[in-house]
Amino acid sequence: MLSGQMQKSLNEQVNAELFSSYLYLSMNAYFKSLNLDGFANWMYVQAQEELVHAMKFYDFIARRGGRVILEKVEAPKKEWASPLNAFEEAFEHEQMITGRIHHLVDISLQERDHATNTFLQWFVTEQVEEEENTDGVVRKLKRVGNAEGGLFMVDIELAKRVFTAPTAQQ
Ligand code: OFO
């Protein structure tokens, strides 16, 4: 059974993960408008992963006898100054999400809610990867600078990312 505070905070995280998906879809549309299909692909895969994250929270709340409350999802930005600027914002966004996950862990510890704490550990690990992935692209883009050839090399690399649907255990 979830406490009122835990249920409210987990519901807020459903919304935050849905917003993440929306943000990355908007970045997908931005990159498509620049004909950077590899960048667009990376963001499309990321948007799908965020939906998986949202559903993990959704299902967990329901499994613990809680009530899922869906709120309005904020509209994301539509334009960025450059591919680097978009990925810098993606990295900042992931750092913010990490902070939110850690706050949820803090609540679970305060409440001695061990089941929620165990559930959240998957997200603690996932956020290390989320930050590493977005920061990795930021670093590459900083290295290539304004060189058109470099941008297209990164585009080819990002085109290789594929979405892997989670198994029941993941
Ligand atoms: Fe759900 O990890 Fe990114 O936002």
Side-chain angles (χ1 to χ4, degrees):
M1 186 73 189
L2 295 170
S3 73
Q5 164 74 4
M6 196 78 251
Q7 176 174 298
K8 179 173 176 292
S9 302
L10 291 171
N11 265 306
E12 286 167 0
Q13 194 60 28
V14 173
N15 188 275
E17 300 289 349
L18 289 173
F19 175 75
S20 296
S21 184
Y22 225 32
L23 174 65
Y24 295 130
L25 262 188
S26 191
M27 288 184 177
N28 164 272
Y30 162 72
F31 283 120
K32 273 184 182 294
S33 77
L34 299 179
N35 294 316
L36 289 170
D37 291 344
F39 282 85
N41 170 68
W42 195 99
M43 287 297 172
Y44 194 82
V45 171
Q46 187 65 27
Q48 288 173 291
E49 286 201 356
E50 298 299 352
L51 285 181
V52 171
H53 296 173
M55 291 312 295
K56 277 180 181 280
F57 279 100
Y58 184 101
D59 291 339
F60 183 75
I61 295 167
R63 287 180 65 207
R64 296 292 309 285
R67 174 74 163 91
V68 175
I69 308 286
L70 295 175
E71 301 287 355
K72 186 164 82 173
V73 181
E74 189 189 326
K77 271 176 70 169
K78 300 178 189 66
E79 299 291 341
W80 286 268
S82 64
L84 173 60
N85 178 238
F87 266 92
E88 281 175 332
E89 288 195 13
F91 180 41
E92 280 167 25
H93 180 75
E94 289 307 327
Q95 289 172 287
M96 183 276 289
I97 292 290
T98 299
R100 294 187 61 105
I101 297 291
H102 290 182
H103 181 60
L104 288 170
V105 172
D106 289 344
I107 297 170
S108 72
L109 289 172
Q110 280 159 19
E111 298 191 352
R112 300 176 60 78
D113 181 347
H114 301 296
T116 301
N117 184 269
T118 298
F119 166 74
L120 290 169
Q121 292 310 309
W122 185 90
F123 285 93
V124 172
T125 305
E126 176 72 4
Q127 282 311 119
V128 173
E129 194 181 306
E130 295 283 77
E131 289 190 25
E132 185 183 12
N133 288 346
T134 45
D135 187 37
V137 180
V138 167
R139 286 164 191 265
K140 280 193 183 87
L141 289 173
K142 281 186 174 164
R143 207 172 309 137
V144 302
N146 293 324
E148 188 87 335
L151 192 65
F152 281 103
M153 289 295 287
V154 178
D155 193 57
I156 288 166
E157 190 184 327
L158 299 189
K160 294 176 188 156
R161 188 179 186 194
V162 290
F163 173 68
T164 310
T167 62
Q169 284 75 37
Q170 285 177 309

